[in-house]
DNA sequence: TACGATAAACTTTTT
DNA sequence: GTTTATCGTA
C-alpha cells in the first residue's frame, strides 16, 4: 500500500480512496488540496492504473509542474512523464496541434493573446466603419470572450452591430490562421462533439480525470470535461466555492454548487481542517465569508493555536500606508528572522502597486511584482516573437504588420494598406512580398525596405529548418542589429531591454533542454504562461501581487492593503449587483486565507487616482469586527496613526503669535488646533441635499470647483455631485473611527 | 514617412 | 500621474 496514505487525515484519505464515479471534494483554503490530488494520482498508479490513462487539469503550469514533481519524487521520473498534467489551455493547444485538421484548418496556427486580439479587432472595426468611440476595443474583446465562454448559455447576447463585429472577427482570425485563448477550448469541444472517432479515442485513453480549482471553470470547460469523460464517469473535481473569483471572465460558480445535480450519484467529501493559518485568521475568514448567500456550508478549523492578533492600520494617505508596510517588513523580518519571500503584499488592482514599488525601492527592500506586464508581453520580446510567428504561420498578418515596422524600414501606414489588400485576396507573407517586388506595387523609396525584409524572411525560413530556436534567435538579432536599434531608440531602457532579450534566449535554451526543439512548440509556451508561472519562490524578495495572482499561494505574513470603498470592493462591483459584491467578498476571503501567522490590514484616508486625490470611506469589509477573545492573548490591534498633537499645538501657538503681532482681534480661547476651514466634507459625513434629502458621503474626489462628491442616499443609491454646484449642507460629522 | 509635441483617455481582476 | 492617440513639421 502507498505509504503516503497514512499521512493523510481521515477526510483526506476518504477523498483519496474514493475512486470510481463522480466525486466532488470541497476543499477549504489550506486544507491540503494539492496533497490530496497528488496522493490520489499516486494511489491510482499504485492500484495499477497506467499514468498514461490519468488526466489532471490545473489552473497554472506551475501547479501542474509541482504536482508532477511530487509524483516523480515518490514514483520516479518515468511514471511522472506519462501523466497528462496540464492547464486547460495547454491541453487544448496540444490537442489542436494534432487534431485541428478535423475542422479543416492547419496545424500551424498561432495563439493570439489579448493584445494581438485587440490589434486584430481594431483592423476589423476599421474595415466595418464602426466607431471605436462607441465600441471600445477592450469592451468588445471582453464581450466576445464572454460570449464564447458561455457557449450559448444564458446571460450574454450580442446586438446587431456586435454580432457583425463578432462574425468579421472570426473571419479575420481564420484568415490569419490564429486562435484566441477561448478558441483553444471552444474548437477542442467542437471537434470532440462532432467527431465520434476522435472523441472515442480520447475517452478510451483517459480513464481517470481530475480537475483542480473547479470553482473557476466556465461552461465551456465543463463541457470539455464532459466530452472527455467515458461511461465510467471517473471524474474527481476539487475546489472551493468560497474561492470562486473568476466570474468576470465567465467562470460559473454553479459548476461546483450544482455538481451533485449535474452528476447524479456523485459522492461529496469536505475538507475543513486547515493546516495553514492560525485560529484567529480562520475565525475572521469564516466571519467574512458567512455573509455570502451563494455557498455550501463549510467552516474551517485548525489544531494550531489562536495565534497573533490581526492588525488593522489606518493611514492618512497611500504613501504613508506603503511606508507602514515597508517598515513593518523591515522590523518584523529582523525581529523574527524571516526571509523577505515569506512576506506578501496583496491588493485589489494592479495600479495600487505603484506607490508600493516606489517605497520598496527607496528603502532598498528587494521585491518582485507578480503580474502586471508579463515577460512575454514586453515590447522588445513581442517584436522578436512577431518575426518568429510569421515563420511558423505565414498568414499571421498581425505579426507581419508589427515586424514590418520594427526596426523602422520606411514602410508606413499607406504601404501597409496596400499590402493588406493583397493579404485580403488570400496571399500569405511570402507571396505578398514577392508580388509587391515583382509588380513594383509601392514607391521606390519603400521598395528598398520591402526588398530587405523579403531577403530576411527567406533567410529566417531557412534557419528554422536547420537551427534550434535559441540559435535561430541569435541569427535574427544579429541580422536586425536589434541591440543597436534598442540603443538608438531609447538609451535609458536599452540595457534592461537587452537583458530581457538575453533572458528570452535563456528560456529557449531551457525549453530545448526539456525537448522543445521547434519554433512552433516554443511559441505555444510563450502564449500560455500565467502570472504565477513567473513567480520565483526561492529568492529572498517580498512578493507584491493582486489577490487573483495570489490564489493557491501561502505566506507567513500577509498585508492586505487599500481596504477602501471603491478600491476594495472596487467601484464597479458597487455599481453593479449583489452577485458582484459577493465575488468581491470571496476575493477578500482568498486574501485573508493566504496568511499563515500574521495578517495586517490597512487602508488610507486619501489616495491618488488618475491625477486627483480621492478620499474614500473605509471598506465595508472592515465593519465585521476582528474578534476579541477572553483568553490572555492580546486584543486585536487597531493601529491608528497617532495625530501628532504636539505638532498641532505648536502650530496653534505660532498662529496665535502671528495674529497677536498683526493686532487682529480674535478670541483666542475659541481657536482649536483643527484646521479652520468652514465646510470641509469628508467621507462618512452626513449631509442634506435639496432634492435627494439626507445621505452619507462615500467618497470625495479632487479639489476646488471640480471636486465631486459621491453621496449615498438611502433608497436612491449613490449620487455623484459636483461640490461647487450641489449645495450640500452638513448635518453632522462622521462618527469617530 | 518618421519623429516630436500636445491632448485625451485611463484602472479591475487573466488564460 | 501615466500611457496612448493624434497632429504638425522636417
Amino acid at each position: 500500500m502507498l505509504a503516503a496514505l497514512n499521512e493523510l487525515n481521515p477526510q483526506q484519505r476518504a477523498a483519496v480512496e474514493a475512486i470510481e464515479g463522480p466525486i466532488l471534494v470541497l476543499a477549504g483554503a489550506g486544507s491540503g488540496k494539492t496533497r490530496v490530488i497528488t496522493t490520489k494520482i499516486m494511489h491510482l498508479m499504485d492500484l495499477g492504473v497506467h499514468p498514461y490513462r490519468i488526466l489532471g487539469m490545473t489552473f497554472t503550469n506551475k501547479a501542474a509542474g509541482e504536482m508532477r514533481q511530487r509524483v516523480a519524487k515518490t514514483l520516479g521520473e518515468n511514471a511522472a512523464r506519462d501523466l497528462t498534467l496540464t492547464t486547460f489551455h495547454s491541453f487544448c493547444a496540444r490537442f489542436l496541434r494534432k487534431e485541428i485538421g478535423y475542422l479543416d484548418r492547419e496545424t500551424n496556427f498561432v495563439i493570439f493573446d489579448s493584445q494581438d486580439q485587440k490589434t486584430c479587432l481594431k483592423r476589423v472595426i476599421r474595415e466595418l466603419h464602426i466607431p471605436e468611440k462607441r465600441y471600445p476595443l477592450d469592451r468588445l474583446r471582453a464581450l466576445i470572450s464572454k460570449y464564447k465562454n458561455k457557449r450559448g448559455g444564458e446571460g450574454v447576447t450580442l446586438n446587431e452591430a456586435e454580432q457583425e463585429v463578432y462574425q468579421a472577427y472570426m473571419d479575420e482570425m481564420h484568415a490569419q490562421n490564429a486562435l484566441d485563448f477561448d478558441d483553444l477550448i471552444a474548437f477542442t469541444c467542437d471537434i470532440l462533439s462532432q467527431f465520434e472517432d476522435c472523441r472515442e479515442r480520447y475517452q478510451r485513453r483517459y480513464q481517470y480525470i481530475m480537475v483542480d480549482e473547479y470553482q473557476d471553470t466556465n461552461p465551456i470547460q465543463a463541457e470539455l470535461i464532459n466530452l472527455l469523460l467515458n461511461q465510467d464517469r471517473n471524474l474527481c473535481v476539487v475546489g472551493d466555492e468560497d474561492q470562486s473569483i473568476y466570474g468576470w471572465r465567465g467562470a460559473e460558480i454553479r459548476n461546483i454548487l450544482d455538481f451533485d445535480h449535474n452528476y447524479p450519484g456523485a459522492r461529496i467529501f469536505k475538507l475543513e481542517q486547515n493546516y495553514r493559518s492560525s485560529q484567529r485568521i480562520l475565525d475572521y475568514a469564516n466571519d467574512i465569508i458567512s455573509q455570502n448567500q451563494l455557498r455550501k456550508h463549510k467552516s474551517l478549523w485548525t489544531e494550531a493555536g489562536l495565534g497573533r492578533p490581526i492588525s488593522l492600520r489606518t493611514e492618512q494617505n497611500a504613501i504613508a500606508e506603503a511606508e507602514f508596510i515597508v517598515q513593518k517588513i523591515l522590523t518584523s523580518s529582523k525581529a523574527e528572522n524571516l526571509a523577505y519571500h515569506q512576506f506578501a503584499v496583496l491588493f485589489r488592482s494592479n495600479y495600487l502597486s505603484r506607490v508600493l514599488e516606489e517605497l520598496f525601492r527607496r528603502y532598498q527592500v528587494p521585491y518582485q511584482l507578480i503580474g502586471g506586464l508579463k515577460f512575454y508581453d514586453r515590447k522588445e520580446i513581442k517584436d522578436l516573437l512577431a518575426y518568429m510567428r510569421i515563420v511558423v504561420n505565414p498568414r499571421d498578418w498581425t505579426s507581419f504588420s508589427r515586424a514590418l515596422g520594427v526596426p523602422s524600414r520606411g514602410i508606413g501606414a499607406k504601404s501597409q494598406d496596400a499590402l493588406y489588400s493583397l493579404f485580403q485576396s488570400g496571399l500569405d507573407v511570402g507571396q505578398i512580398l514577392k508580388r509587391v517586388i515583382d509588380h513594383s506595387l509601392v514607391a521606390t523609396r519603400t521598395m528598398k525596405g520591402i526588398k530587405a525584409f523579403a531577403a530576411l524572411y527567406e533567410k529566417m525560413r531557412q534557419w528554422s529548418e536547420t537551427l534550434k530556436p535559441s540559435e535561430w534567435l541569435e541569427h535574427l538579432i544579429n541580422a536586425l542589429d536589434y541591440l543597436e536599434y534598442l540603443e538608438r531608440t531609447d538609451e535609458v531602457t536599452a540595457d534592461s531591454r537587452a537583458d530581457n532579450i538575453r533572458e528570452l534566449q535563456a528560456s529557449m535554451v531551457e525549453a530545448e533542454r526539456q525537448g522543445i526543439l521547434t519554433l512552433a512548440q516554443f511559441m505555444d509556451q510563450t502564449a500560455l504562461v500565467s502570472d504565477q508561472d513567473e513567480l520565483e519562490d526561492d529568492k529572498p524578495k517580498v512578493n507584491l501581487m493582486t489577490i487573483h495572482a495570489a490564489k493557491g499561494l501561502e505566506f507567513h505574513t500577509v498585508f492586505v492593503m487599500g481596504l477602501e470603498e471603491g478600491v476594495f470592493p472596487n467601484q464597479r462591483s458597487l455599481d453593479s449587483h449583489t452577485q458582484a459584491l459577493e465575488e468581491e467578498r470571496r476575493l477578500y476571503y482568498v486574501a485573508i486565507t493566504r496568511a499563515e501567522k500574521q495578517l495586517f490590514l490597512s487602508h488610507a484616508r486619501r489616495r491618488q487616482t488618475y491625477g486627483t486625490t480621492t478620499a474614500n470611506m473605509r471598506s465595508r469589509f472592515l465593519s465585521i469586527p476582528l474578534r476579541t477573545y477572553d483568553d490572555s492573548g492580546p486584543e486585536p490591534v487597531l493601529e491608528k496613526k497617532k495625530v501628532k498633537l504636539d505638532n498641532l499645538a505648536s502650530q496653534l501657538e505660532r498662529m496665535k503669535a502671528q495674529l497677536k503681532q498683526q493686532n487682529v482681534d480674535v478670541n483666542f480661547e475659541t481657536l482649536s488646533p483643527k484646521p479652520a476651514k468652514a465646510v470641509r466634507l469628508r467621507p462618512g459625513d452626513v449631509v442634506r441635499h435639496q432634492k435627494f434629502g439626507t445621505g452619507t458621503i462615500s467618497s470625495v474626489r479632487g479639489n476646488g470647483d471640480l471636486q465631486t462628491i459621491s453621496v449615498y442616499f438611502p433608497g436612491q443609491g449613490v449620487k455623484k455631485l459636483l461640490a461647487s454646484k450641489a449645495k450640500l449642507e452638513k448635518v453632522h460629522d462622521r462618527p469617530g473611527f
Side-chain angles (χ1 to χ4, degrees):
Chain A
M1 192 192 70
L2 193 70
L5 280 178
N6 292 323
E7 293 161 25
L8 302 175
N9 71 33
Q11 290 75 32
Q12 290 174 330
R13 184 161 178 167
V16 165
E17 287 183 324
I19 287 182
E20 308 295 328
I23 290 154
L24 167 63
V25 182
L26 288 170
S31 62
K33 184 179 56 139
T34 311
R35 178 176 217 170
V36 165
I37 298 175
T38 45
T39 313
K40 185 160 204 158
I41 290 172
M42 295 192 280
H43 181 52
L44 284 171
M45 285 158 68
D46 194 47
L47 293 175
V49 179
H50 195 277
Y52 178 80
R53 306 212 163 277
I54 300 174
L55 168 65
M57 297 280 203
T58 61
F59 210 67
T60 65
N61 294 305
K62 184 167 176 277
E66 279 170 5
M67 289 187 194
R68 191 184 294 278
Q69 252 178 352
R70 283 207 212 183
V71 174
K73 222 170 140 191
T74 318
L75 299 177
E77 294 282 348
N78 281 338
R81 206 181 2 254
D82 287 340
L83 282 168
T84 309
L85 203 50
T86 64
T87 64
F88 275 97
H89 293 275
S90 302
F91 176 85
C92 292
R94 239 186 309 154
F95 174 91
L96 291 174
R97 290 266 177 239
K98 273 191 269 179
E99 318 284 0
I100 203 169
Y102 277 105
L103 296 178
D104 220 10
R105 297 182 57 141
E106 295 165 45
T107 54
N108 62 340
F109 59 84
V110 286
I111 300 169
F112 272 13
D113 65 19
S114 348
Q115 233 180 91
D116 305 321
Q117 255 183 297
K118 276 197 287 190
T119 314
C120 179
L121 261 174
K122 195 169 183 168
R123 187 108 224 163
V124 164
I125 63 173
R126 216 173 75 196
E127 300 274 316
L128 288 175
H129 303 292
I130 282 174
E132 199 180 319
K133 282 261 184 307
R134 265 196 63 208
Y135 292 93
L137 292 177
D138 283 305
R139 226 187 63 202
L140 282 173
R141 200 201 60 75
L143 188 73
I144 289 173
S145 173
K146 256 197 162 161
Y147 184 73
K148 288 182 182 174
N149 281 323
K150 290 286 181 187
R151 279 242 130 180
E154 83 261 27
V156 193
T157 46
L158 305 180
N159 68 29
E160 208 171 307
E162 289 161 351
Q163 186 68 47
E164 197 181 4
V165 172
Y166 178 78
Q167 212 28 264
Y169 168 75
M170 290 304 278
D171 292 346
E172 180 69 23
M173 290 291 279
H174 193 168
Q176 298 198 24
N177 194 19
L179 305 188
D180 63 32
F181 291 135
D182 307 313
D183 291 336
L184 290 175
I185 298 172
F187 285 18
T188 303
C189 282
D190 289 345
I191 293 171
L192 288 173
S193 60
Q194 286 167 33
F195 301 95
E196 210 181 329
D197 60 316
C198 183
R199 182 170 67 241
E200 275 176 3
R201 250 188 306 133
Y202 282 84
Q203 286 187 349
R204 251 200 315 277
R205 166 164 179 182
Y206 293 118
Q207 250 178 343
Y208 293 92
I209 301 180
M210 259 167 270
V211 185
D212 190 14
E213 308 280 14
Y214 194 69
Q215 76 281 359
D216 285 321
T217 55
N218 57 36
I220 192 171
Q221 288 165 330
E223 183 186 338
L224 172 62
I225 293 299
N226 253 332
L227 285 164
L228 289 170
L229 213 55
N230 60 32
Q231 66 280 5
D232 291 339
R233 298 194 311 154
N234 293 329
L235 170 66
C236 172
V237 306
V238 184
D240 177 3
E241 79 282 5
D242 292 334
Q243 294 188 66
S244 161
I245 55 176
Y246 282 100
W248 52 273
R249 77 171 196 211
E252 185 49 79
I253 192 173
R254 291 253 148 242
N255 281 350
I256 193 163
L257 290 174
D258 299 343
F259 184 82
D260 42 349
H261 177 255
N262 297 337
Y263 293 91
R267 286 181 283 168
I268 301 179
F269 299 87
K270 280 189 193 178
L271 308 181
E272 292 175 302
Q273 182 173 5
N274 173 293
Y275 294 94
R276 181 185 294 153
S277 312
S278 70
Q279 186 66 56
R280 239 188 263 265
I281 291 169
L282 291 184
D283 286 345
Y284 182 50
N286 282 331
D287 287 350
I288 292 289
I289 202 63
S290 62
Q291 293 190 294
N292 271 11
Q293 303 299 313
L294 208 61
R295 63 190 297 256
K296 301 197 169 196
H297 182 75
K298 194 153 57 17
S299 185
L300 295 176
W301 62 277
T302 178
E303 284 175 355
L306 203 48
R308 298 181 215 184
I310 298 165
S311 141
L312 171 61
R313 179 83 171 188
T314 302
E315 290 286 0
Q316 294 306 313
N317 57 57
I319 297 169
E321 184 188 31
E323 190 147 10
F324 160 72
I325 291 170
V326 176
Q327 290 292 351
K328 207 70 183 183
I329 290 173
L330 278 170
T331 53
S332 177
S333 64
K334 210 168 270 165
E336 306 187 44
N337 199 24
L338 294 170
Y340 284 132
H341 63 264
Q342 294 180 282
F343 296 87
V345 186
L346 308 183
F347 34 83
R348 175 65 241 258
S349 314
N350 277 311
Y351 74 92
L352 295 166
S353 69
R354 199 163 291 155
V355 194
L356 281 171
E357 278 194 276
E358 214 171 281
L359 277 132
F360 274 84
R361 271 202 293 269
R362 192 182 302 164
Y363 284 95
Q364 303 196 337
V365 177
Y367 68 90
Q368 60 176 332
L369 182 68
I370 315 297
L373 191 61
K374 280 197 209 114
F375 179 74
Y376 291 110
D377 290 344
R378 280 160 218 249
K379 189 186 165 301
E380 60 276 17
I381 305 293
K382 287 217 86 167
D383 287 346
L384 294 175
L385 290 180
Y387 284 90
M388 183 184 298
R389 302 209 307 189
I390 50 173
V391 171
V392 176
N393 168 24
R395 281 163 57 201
D396 182 350
W397 170 265
T398 304
S399 298
F400 180 41
S401 155
R402 180 179 192 120
L404 278 174
V406 246
S408 50
R409 297 185 171 81
I411 304 166
K414 236 178 151 185
S415 315
Q416 287 221 3
D417 281 344
L419 299 190
Y420 186 70
S421 61
L422 291 178
F423 170 74
Q424 278 183 311
S425 70
L427 303 185
D428 69 22
V429 170
Q431 294 163 330
I432 292 171
L433 290 168
K434 187 164 187 305
R435 176 76 64 91
V436 170
I437 293 170
D438 289 353
H439 296 78
S440 303
L441 294 175
V442 292
T444 5
R445 207 170 39 161
T446 317
M447 191 55 92
K448 211 178 132 206
I450 297 276
K451 279 186 171 157
F453 194 94
L456 173 65
Y457 185 63
E458 194 43 50
K459 274 195 264 176
M460 288 195 301
R461 295 178 64 138
Q462 286 166 10
W463 296 336
S464 71
E465 281 167 21
T466 51
L467 300 178
K468 289 191 284 193
S470 59
E471 297 164 341
W472 184 94
L473 182 69
E474 184 71 38
H475 278 68
L476 176 68
I477 293 169
N478 290 335
L480 293 175
D481 213 352
Y482 197 74
L483 296 177
E484 192 274 330
Y485 162 80
L486 290 178
E487 199 65 48
R488 180 158 39 90
T489 45
D490 186 355
E491 51 188 42
V492 185
T493 59
D495 276 355
S496 75
R497 288 175 193 271
D499 281 347
N500 288 334
I501 288 171
R502 272 189 283 279
E503 203 179 314
L504 174 66
Q505 278 183 300
S507 69
M508 281 182 160
V509 173
E510 171 61 21
E512 285 159 13
R513 216 179 49 79
Q514 289 175 18
I516 287 176
L517 295 170
T518 66
L519 295 179
Q521 288 170 320
F522 185 76
M523 255 175 27
D524 281 359
Q525 280 214 320
T526 66
L528 300 175
V529 290
S530 75
D531 279 340
Q532 274 190 19
D533 297 336
E534 300 194 334
L535 183 121
E536 300 177 303
D537 39 16
D538 48 342
K539 302 234 170 83
K541 297 175 180 173
V542 176
N543 300 288
L544 314 184
M545 63 187 99
T546 64
I547 299 161
H548 283 91
K551 178 167 126 165
L553 305 176
E554 56 187 21
F555 303 93
H556 177 281
T557 299
V558 168
F559 295 83
V560 185
M561 60 166 291
L563 282 160
E564 295 128 50
E565 289 288 290
V567 178
F568 191 19
N570 72 6
Q571 197 52 51
R572 287 197 182 194
S573 69
L574 294 176
D575 293 342
S576 75
H577 284 289
T578 47
Q579 275 190 15
L581 196 67
E582 288 218 344
E583 182 153 315
E584 292 288 298
R585 194 173 285 114
R586 288 195 294 269
L587 199 54
Y588 186 48
Y589 175 80
V590 169
I592 297 165
T593 51
R594 298 309 94 199
E596 294 167 359
K597 298 285 192 293
Q598 280 196 103
L599 179 60
F600 291 96
L601 312 172
S602 65
H603 71 108
R605 290 263 163 80
R606 286 182 303 281
R607 188 179 290 285
Q608 297 270 116
T609 35
Y610 296 95
T612 55
T613 305
T614 312
N616 290 312
M617 217 146 66
R618 68 206 287 224
S619 172
R620 67 190 60 200
F621 298 147
L622 295 176
S623 56
I624 299 293
L626 306 169
R627 284 199 204 191
T628 54
Y629 289 86
D630 296 334
D631 75 317
S632 56
E635 292 288 292
V637 180
L638 175 67
E639 294 192 56
K640 253 192 203 176
K641 186 156 196 177
K642 282 187 208 111
V643 179
K644 286 185 182 149
L645 275 175
D646 329 343
N647 214 347
L648 274 175
S650 71
Q651 259 178 33
L652 184 66
E653 287 311 311
R654 258 204 309 276
M655 211 163 85
K656 280 182 186 172
Q658 261 179 16
L659 293 171
K660 227 173 211 168
Q661 230 173 25
Q662 293 162 19
N663 271 330
V664 183
D665 186 24
V666 223
N667 179 1
F668 292 110
E669 302 311 311
T670 61
L671 276 184
S672 90
K674 288 264 165 70
K677 272 180 206 159
V679 231
R680 203 175 126 221
L681 297 176
R682 299 182 302 183
D685 289 348
V686 175
V687 291
R688 185 172 297 122
H689 183 270
Q690 274 198 320
K691 214 167 101 199
F692 302 124
T694 314
T696 311
I697 296 180
S698 61
S699 82
V700 178
R701 181 187 185 90
N703 262 315
D705 287 350
L706 290 172
Q707 185 174 64
T708 54
I709 297 187
S710 305
V711 188
Y712 172 72
F713 297 102
Q716 299 168 86
V718 175
K719 304 279 178 201
K720 269 195 183 142
L721 305 166
L722 205 58
S724 52
K725 284 262 177 71
K727 298 265 179 293
L728 289 174
E729 179 196 339
K730 193 189 283 194
V731 178
H732 60 77
D733 270 319
R734 63 176 176 203
F737 272 51

